[in-house]
Amino acid sequence: MTTATQPIGTRRTSNTSQRKHRRNWRGWLFVGPFAAVFLLVFIAPLAYALGLSLFANRMIGGTVFVGFGNYLTLFADPLFWQGLWRVILVLIVQVPLMLAIAMFVALALDSGRLHGSNFFRLSIFMPYLIPTVVAALMWGFLYGTNYGLVGQLNGFFGTSLNLFSADWILVSISNVITWTYIGYNMLIFYSSLKTISPSLYEAAVIDGASEWQIIRAIKIPHLRGSIAIATIFSIIGTFQLFNEPSVMQKMAPSVITNSFTPNIYAYNLSFNSGQQGYAAALAIVMGLVTVIIAYVVQLRGMRTEEGTN
Amino acid sequence: MKFRTIGRVLAGATAAGLALALTACSSGTAASSATAESFDSSKQYNITVWSWEPTIAADSDVLTAFKKAYPNINVTVTNVGSSADQYTALSNALQAGSGLPDVAQIEYYALPQYAIGSNLADLSSYGASDLSDKYTTGTWNSVNQTTSEGVSGIYGLPVDSGPMALFYNKTVFDKAGIADAPKTWDEFYEDAKKIHALGDKYYITSDSGDAGFMTSMIWSLDPSAIKVDGTNVTVDFSSEKVSKFVSIWQKLIDENLISTTIGGWSDDWFKGLSDGTLASLVTGAWMPANLMQNSPKASGNFRVALAPTIDGTAANSENGGSSLAVLQKSENKAAAYKFVEFVSAGDGEALRIQAGNFPALKSTLANSEFLSSTGAYASEDLLAYFGGQEYNTVLAQAAADVNAGWTYLPFQVAANSKFADTVGQAFSGKTSLTDGLSSWADTIVEYGNGQGYTVTKG
């Protein structure tokens, strides 16, 4: 902006300010509508949350400005760190596994050696169409140790597996998420594979490449961009984990507590204990954490992509 | 440059708007009117009611009767959702200062939270102070509250009550060789062993960390565990009687004699109560209709007994139950009170009890037809469900035994939401109940002090 104003300013000193004004306002006519909507829809809620996070809502004394007090309390709150650690664990274990399976399925569908690939594509995608709340309920019934499928298997094999116990709960929840989102990620990979020009395959076949070599040399390098995108979506989704544990809370109340994931914690702080300011601080910190991690992954993803090209 | 300045102006405007909104929130303390406006029977009133209670739903007998009695009051009943959903909506509306109903159903444990912030109208001057001898101790205690400004008053009228009682499956108890229902918690522990001996799946009861049950137990054991005096609050969950109960409950958990994996109100829970693998439960007197509806297969097996106590002497508490409160911001308080009174103590009461509510009125609890479930209060299916036992006689005794002197925390809803992280951990073996209760008290102290109270751990 500074470089643009410089040459005009040096020539006509008397009219500068007036002319500049006019030019700027004309520009705003074009940008204005967008800027207004942008401010209202994107910036205002963020500013509101940011403002909220600096206040504490007290039952006695009303709303008090506390500065960064909420943030300081949050950084010393073990429940927040435990919740964050839980979603990070899910992120480290579940996301790579889910993406690997999704990629495997996409490659299998793309290989063209599968009979009824349309049917498989649709049925693997189907779980994504089921609302996550319904999916969590359904799996919750299957996991039931008393009357669910797990209970029946326990009775049959004489085991006492409890998928709602503290040791298993993350695995149980990860399983639901994996089941739901494999189809979605598979579709991202599959559509990316479909854009590969057939001439590359023909060339590879002429050179005598095996199917495995085609996958390694053509398909996987081509998928790098989609992998980066799918990973970023999964990271955001994992940090926002809410529906599945929230639905299963009734089935495992002492294991899935009100601070199980940062999102559940924020919800309960805001709606059950009236700590909206504290919840806003938590939301903003979680937003920043997500942005940083997603950005780092994106940087890495982009670099490898450029490297191969 | 230009963009930056405009950006700054806008940011400033947002901040100013924000500050305005926030000050608007904090100025919610309305002046308490000493004299109530009187009810004018020739004037047309419109009132809205938020309630999840089916007996006062829009198409209920109570509403029909009310419209007949007060044709000039037009009532709109809205079911906002479960109680928790309604509190969320209510808190949001209070914060926004608009969209509030005239009357809201509020459970006893949540009433202090709303009364303390002067969000509710004091009903004394509308006629509620004349009703003081009509209700049971437990319920009347619960609606008498003091705001943070020190205004004592009646901030709601009781709808129903839930004195604790032991609902047990007699068939299973017989099979286990238990002749009488346990009167003390020590006996309960012995019986738990006998029932678990019937098979791995058999438990005397289930508890996976229920804040409502634990607070009711504390009320029954030591009603002075929570003391509230203005903004000074004391909590002490370590008195002798509480400790004694806690050590028995800990033994039940450690020796796997109660199920800690079945959550209350879950599908498994009702199935367990149906097939007898959950042989009993200690809960509020509103349970019979719920049991019959959700565990119909157990018909004829269940009986009701007084809840066990620590030393066999009469003591009891309430579990659940709710009141109807009039919002301070309501512009039709007089008409709203007419509705509340009609539902709580007027003609609406009998209709509700017939539809399944457990009474809060002493006169109904002494009514012989109510006690025997005959006449106006006839309920053939429930009598059959309890094998012909006059269950209401036991429940009326349970109501009479409720300890006076108990008060919930002025921020009980928030405290309960932090139960699972503290006491709840004892049910998955991560801590002991004693330590869990101690850290719950610590959390209550920390939260309460953050809310402007002076909370100490006794």
Side-chain angles (χ1 to χ4, degrees), chain B residues 183-200:
Chain B
K183 287 188 177 58
T184 64
W185 288 110
D186 282 320
E187 284 175 36
F188 187 85
Y189 168 70
E190 295 304 324
D191 293 347
K193 286 200 251 183
K194 289 179 193 162
I195 286 181
H196 199 55
L198 288 175
D200 279 350

Side-chain angles (χ1 to χ4, degrees), chain B residues 36-48:
Chain B
E37 82 262 35
S38 53
F39 179 68
D40 183 353
S41 58
S42 62
K43 209 179 133 189
Q44 186 64 38
Y45 294 96
N46 282 312
I47 61 166
T48 51

